[in-house]
């Protein structure tokens, strides 16, 4: 009976694992070879979905549109393979048309060699672009696995076969952006990344991160170089949607002269626009730009163009020989060039500059000064003043009970000063985001709701303390409990609120550094709290074990108090220094963004 029981248990384990091993997020690298989802059932035989392409022949470097369509489906997985050996590794790489519905995966050694879904949301149509590699097989076939429901799916649906022409291949492959899309004679293709040579001496440059290399895949780069009566502009950055910069009279969006480079179906469209308030940009029907060029490669979008310094015929275009704040933004774009609001805060220069004047080599900030001040004040309040105030009130009553400051016991005065400072800093910080946003921010998640709760508790604490009963009043114990619980709740919610706020677009501290540092601060505070609790307990036990002799008890109490006072003061100094280190780390991070 043991063997059948063991076999049954193993069978149940396998079924359980199989039944839960789905891929709702589309991260299905485990299925790169077989293209079979682990859903615990057999695939369907007659496919309902079709794959189509916009070309039947290709050369290395060409782009081919690949379409997957059919009845509603939740998941998909697309590859291109050697038509003569369908079990061989994936061939070529893909780029996306809509990053909301699809994502790139790396199968084997070829980067971006497969495409899958991003969620289980129902879809009817997917479009991607396949880039033919150098040394590709003569005949390539597209394959797709489609999941209609969890247990209803088709594997390796055969798609069209595309082949290379009989003509000899070109000696050098076309750039990855060269495609069979007709373009205007005014637009050309860039052959290589931009470089930073001449920044600060011959041309005006903005880079994020500061002094980054525009040839790297993580550098946002914008340069202006005056050439007689015009300015030549270069812009690049890691984006598969759009890049844009704007000239503004202030550090607020609205009434600005904007320039966009938008990826429209794997072709970059360069245009001018006008920003009205925080509404989507109003594209100009007439383009005042010349010598437009672009390039898409390795996830980096590049574009360049020339613009006259003065354009009297275009009322929405600013004269370039004046001083402006400069915005640099990126975001997603869908088919047809529809752009979406940038997910993170645009980079904004710290001052107004004349791009035709003295060349500069600048960084910039992606966080407005008001939001930086909001974060800095909250960190000062809830990492230093409130934490030290709580430690003093909890453990330093017996240590400073005979010391007085302004007529009151020292521990109480220090506690009160630190807590009132917390209330003041929190109140000032609380109003800054509302001033910046001009109202409530609907896109900040739970952060503003928790922030309002913390603010209410912060105001309630000193009001409640103002009505505290005398030390021997019957309700003093109830007051103590409410005072402690309200303060503890406020501190816990404040930490949670800071965790959420650090990754919001307007601040967006370095990730995962910010999370680990905040976890380190919480662990630091808890460890000091536990250490002092253990020390207090040990002192009490030390006094209790002394034999019942009045002189010895008094001597032991005096000795224990002296020993406890010294230890606690040393711990407090260490704790304050540690908190200052954490605070300076966060303030330095805020200053860098």
């Amino acid at each position: 009976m043991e063997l059948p029981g063991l076999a049954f248990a193993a069978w149940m384990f396998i079924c359980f694992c199989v039944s839960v091993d789905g891929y709702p997020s589309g991260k299905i690298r485990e299925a790169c070879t077989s293209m079979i989802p682990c859903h615990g059932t057999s695939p369907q035989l007659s496919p309902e979905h079709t794959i189509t392409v916009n070309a039947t022949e290709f050369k290395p470097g060409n782009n081919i549109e690949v379409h997957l369509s059919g009845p509603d489906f939740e998941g998909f997985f697309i590859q291109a393979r050697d038509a003569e050996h369908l079990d061989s590794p994936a061939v070529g790489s893909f780029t996306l048309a809509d990053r909301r519905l699809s994502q790139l995966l790396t199968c084997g050694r070829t980067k971006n060699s497969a495409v899958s879904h991003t969620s289980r949301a129902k879809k009817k149509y997917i479009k991607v672009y396949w880039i033919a590699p150098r040394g590709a097989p003569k005949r390539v076939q597209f394959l797709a696995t489609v999941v209609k429901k969890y247990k209803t799916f088709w594997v390796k649906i055969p798609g069209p076969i595309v082949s290379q022409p009989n003509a000899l291949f070109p000696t050098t492959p076309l750039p990855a952006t060269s495609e069979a899309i007709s373009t205007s004679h005014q637009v050309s293709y860039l052959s290589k990344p931009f470089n930073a040579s001449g920044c600060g001496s011959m041309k005006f440059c903005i880079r994020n991160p500061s002094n980054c290399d525009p040839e790297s895949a993580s550098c946002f780069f914008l340069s202006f170089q005056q050439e007689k009566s015009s300015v030549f502009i270069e812009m690049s950055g890691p984006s598969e949607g759009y890049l844009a910069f704007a000239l503004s009279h202030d550090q607020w969006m609205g009434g600005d002269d904007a320039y966009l480079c938008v990826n429209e179906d794997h072709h970059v469209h360069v245009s001018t626009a006008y920003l009205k308030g925080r509404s989507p940009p109003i594209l100009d029907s007439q383009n005042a730009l010349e010598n437009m060029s672009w390039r898409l490669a390795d996830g980096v979008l590049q574009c360049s163009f020339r613009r006259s310094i003065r354009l009297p015929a275009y009322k929405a275009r600013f004269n370039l020989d004046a001083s402006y704040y400069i915005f640099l933004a990126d975001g997603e774009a869908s088919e047809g060039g529809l752009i979406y609001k940038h997910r993170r805060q645009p980079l904004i220069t710290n001052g107004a500059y004349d791009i035709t004047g003295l060349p500069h080599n600048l960084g910039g900030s992606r966080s407005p000064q008001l939001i930086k001040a909001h974060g800095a004040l909250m960190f000062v309040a809830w990492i230093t003043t409130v934490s030290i105030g709580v430690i003093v009130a909890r453990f330093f009553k017996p240590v400073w009970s005979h010391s007085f400051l302004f007529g009151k016991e020292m521990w109480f005065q220090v506690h009160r000063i630190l807590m009132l400072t917390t209330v003041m800093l929190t109140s000032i910080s609380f109003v800054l985001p509302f001033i910046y946003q001009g109202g409530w921010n609907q896109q900040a998640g739970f952060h503003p709701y928790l922030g309002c709760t913390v603010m209410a508790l912060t105001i309630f604490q000193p009001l409640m303390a103002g009505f505290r009963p005398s030390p021997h009043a019957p309700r003093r114990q109830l007051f103590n409990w409410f005072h402690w619980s309200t303060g503890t709740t406020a501190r816990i919610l404040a930490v949670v609120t800071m965790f959420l706020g650090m990754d919001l677009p307007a601040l967006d501290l370095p990730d995962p550094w910010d999370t680990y540092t905040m976890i380190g601060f919480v662990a630091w505070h808890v460890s000091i709290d536990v250490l002092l609790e253990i020390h207090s307990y040990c002192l009490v036990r030390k006094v209790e074990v002394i034999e019942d002799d009045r002189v010895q008890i008094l001597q032991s109490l005096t000795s224990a108090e002296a020993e406890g006072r010294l230890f606690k003061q040393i711990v407090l100094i260490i704790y304050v220094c540690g908190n200052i280190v954490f605070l300076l780390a966060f303030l330095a991070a805020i200053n860098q963004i």
Side-chain angles (χ1 to χ4, degrees):
M1 292 296 292
E2 292 183 2
L3 186 59
L6 180 62
F8 178 79
W11 179 80
M12 287 293 292
F13 176 79
I14 293 172
C15 287
F16 174 77
C17 291
V18 168
S19 64
V20 300
D21 193 16
Y23 308 99
S25 67
K27 303 291 186 180
I28 49 179
R29 293 185 180 90
E30 295 85 351
C32 276
T33 302
S34 66
M35 298 186 70
I36 301 175
C38 189
H39 289 187
T41 57
S42 300
Q44 306 297 309
L45 298 179
S46 301
E48 300 177 352
H49 304 80
T50 58
I51 308 170
T52 57
V53 295
N54 70 335
T56 57
E57 292 187 350
F58 70 90
K59 293 180 180 180
N62 285 166
N63 287 8
I64 293 180
E65 286 187 16
V66 182
H67 305 260
L68 174 64
S69 59
D72 286 349
F73 56 96
E74 296 179 352
F76 66 91
F77 189 44
I78 301 175
Q79 284 186 1
R81 296 189 178 184
D82 186 345
E84 308 299 331
H85 303 90
L86 291 180
D87 292 330
S88 60
V91 173
S93 60
F94 289 88
T95 58
L96 304 178
D98 191 340
R99 297 176 62 185
R100 296 174 304 166
L101 300 177
S102 55
Q103 62 183 325
L104 299 172
L105 298 178
T106 296
C107 287
R109 298 181 179 178
T110 306
K111 185 178 180 181
N112 302 335
S113 55
V115 186
S116 72
H117 53 282
T118 56
S119 70
R120 295 176 59 182
K122 294 186 181 299
K123 48 196 80 73
K124 294 178 179 288
Y125 172 81
I126 292 294
K127 181 170 79 169
V128 295
Y129 299 93
W130 179 73
I131 304 174
R134 190 173 187 177
K138 290 187 176 182
R139 301 173 72 244
V140 173
Q141 185 170 17
F142 295 95
L143 303 175
T145 291
V146 177
V147 178
K148 184 176 182 179
K149 295 181 180 179
Y150 186 80
K151 293 189 176 182
T152 305
F153 57 89
W154 295 264
V155 174
K156 290 186 178 179
I157 299 174
I161 295 177
V162 294
S163 58
Q164 300 192 49
N166 294 326
L168 294 176
F169 298 155
T171 55
T172 57
L174 295 173
T177 55
S178 299
E179 54 201 324
I181 300 178
S182 61
T183 59
S184 167
H185 67 278
Q186 298 177 330
V187 179
S188 60
Y189 300 103
L190 296 166
S191 60
K192 59 182 180 180
F194 300 136
N195 61 73
S197 61
C199 284
S201 59
M202 298 178 61
K203 57 186 179 182
F204 188 110
C205 297
I206 300 173
R207 291 186 272 178
N208 181 250
S210 297
N211 296 318
C212 63
D213 184 357
E215 297 188 24
S216 73
S218 59
C219 181
F220 288 92
F221 177 75
L222 177 64
S223 73
F224 305 89
Q225 185 170 8
Q226 183 177 358
E227 299 175 352
K228 296 183 180 180
S229 62
S230 66
V231 174
F232 184 68
I233 300 169
E234 297 175 326
M235 181 166 55
S236 67
S239 176
E240 295 184 359
Y242 71 89
L243 291 175
F245 79 88
L247 306 176
S248 177
H249 296 290
D250 51 39
Q251 291 184 303
W252 303 83
M253 287 183 63
D256 307 326
D257 181 10
Y259 301 81
L260 296 89
C261 297
V262 185
N263 183 358
E264 297 185 12
D265 297 334
H266 210 64
H267 173 85
V268 175
H269 178 65
V270 183
S271 65
T272 55
Y274 180 74
L275 299 180
K276 186 177 182 180
R278 298 190 178 184
S279 303
I282 302 172
L283 299 180
D284 291 336
S285 57
Q286 292 180 313
N287 204 339
L289 308 179
E290 301 174 346
N291 303 126
M292 294 177 287
S293 301
W294 61 269
R295 181 174 183 258
L296 284 171
D298 300 323
V300 175
L301 188 156
Q302 296 174 244
C303 63
S304 63
F305 51 90
R306 187 183 308 279
R307 210 216 87 166
S308 296
I309 294 177
R310 292 178 176 268
L311 291 169
Y314 298 85
K315 295 182 179 181
R317 305 279 72 79
F318 294 176
N319 294 332
L320 298 184
D321 53 357
S323 295
Y324 305 101
Y325 290 92
I326 304 171
F327 290 60
L328 179 60
D330 66 290
E332 296 183 355
S334 67
E335 298 177 36
L338 176 64
I339 66 173
Y340 299 97
K341 182 180 178 180
H342 42 79
R343 289 186 174 180
R344 59 177 175 171
Q345 193 72 19
L347 183 148
I348 307 172
T349 57
N350 293 323
Y353 293 91
D354 179 359
I355 60 176
T356 63
L358 185 67
H360 288 79
N361 186 20
L362 303 176
S365 174
R366 287 189 178 272
S367 181
Q369 295 299 325
L370 287 176
I371 300 301
K372 283 186 173 184
H374 167 75
L377 292 175
M378 285 299 186
F379 282 130
V380 172
W382 295 95
I383 286 183
T384 52
T385 58
V386 77
S387 300
I388 297 171
V390 168
I391 290 290
V392 168
R394 178 71 181 87
F395 298 104
F396 282 79
K397 287 182 183 180
V399 176
W400 292 342
S401 59
H402 302 297
S403 301
F404 294 88
L405 182 67
F406 305 124
K408 295 283 186 179
E409 293 177 335
M410 181 180 289
W411 74 265
F412 177 75
Q413 292 288 52
V414 172
H415 173 74
R416 180 161 63 178
I417 291 171
L418 290 172
M419 290 309 178
L420 289 177
T421 303
T422 299
V423 174
M424 179 185 68
L425 293 175
T426 303
S427 300
I428 295 173
S429 177
F430 179 77
V431 302
L432 297 181
F434 290 96
I435 296 175
Y436 172 72
Q437 291 287 341
W440 187 266
N441 187 353
Q442 299 288 348
Q443 300 178 340
F446 290 105
H447 178 78
Y449 297 97
L450 291 176
C452 289
T453 305
V454 171
M455 186 71 252
L457 294 174
T458 303
I459 296 296
F460 181 67
Q461 270 289 78
L463 293 177
M464 181 170 54
F467 294 96
R468 66 184 180 278
S470 60
H472 302 292
R475 290 176 294 180
R476 183 57 181 249
Q477 194 67 26
L478 184 63
F479 164 80
N480 290 341
W481 189 89
F482 272 111
H483 191 61
W484 174 87
S485 60
T486 303
T488 302
T489 303
R491 289 165 59 209
I492 293 173
L493 290 179
V495 171
V496 174
T497 306
M498 286 190 290
F499 265 112
L500 296 176
M502 291 186 299
D503 291 327
L504 288 177
L507 194 61
D508 197 19
L509 294 182
D511 188 64
W513 175 91
D514 56 351
T515 301
Y516 292 148
T517 306
M518 183 59 71
I519 291 174
F521 165 71
V522 173
W524 167 251
H525 177 79
V526 171
S527 63
I528 294 296
D529 204 314
V530 171
L531 176 63
L532 290 174
E533 287 284 2
I534 294 174
H535 177 259
S536 299
Y537 175 79
C538 291
L539 282 181
V540 172
R541 293 292 299 165
K542 186 175 183 179
V543 173
E544 289 178 349
V545 298
I546 299 296
E547 61 186 20
D548 191 14
D549 184 280
R550 184 174 182 80
V551 175
Q552 290 183 341
I553 290 176
L554 289 175
Q555 291 175 345
S556 64
L557 283 171
T558 303
S559 175
E561 287 176 358
E563 179 184 339
R565 185 180 298 111
L566 179 61
F567 179 82
K568 287 181 178 179
Q569 287 176 345
I570 293 174
V571 171
L572 180 62
I573 294 172
I574 295 174
Y575 178 69
V576 171
C577 292
N579 282 26
I580 292 175
V581 169
F582 279 106
L583 176 63
L584 292 177
F586 280 115
L587 294 182
I590 290 175
N591 186 56
Q592 291 297 319
I593 58 177

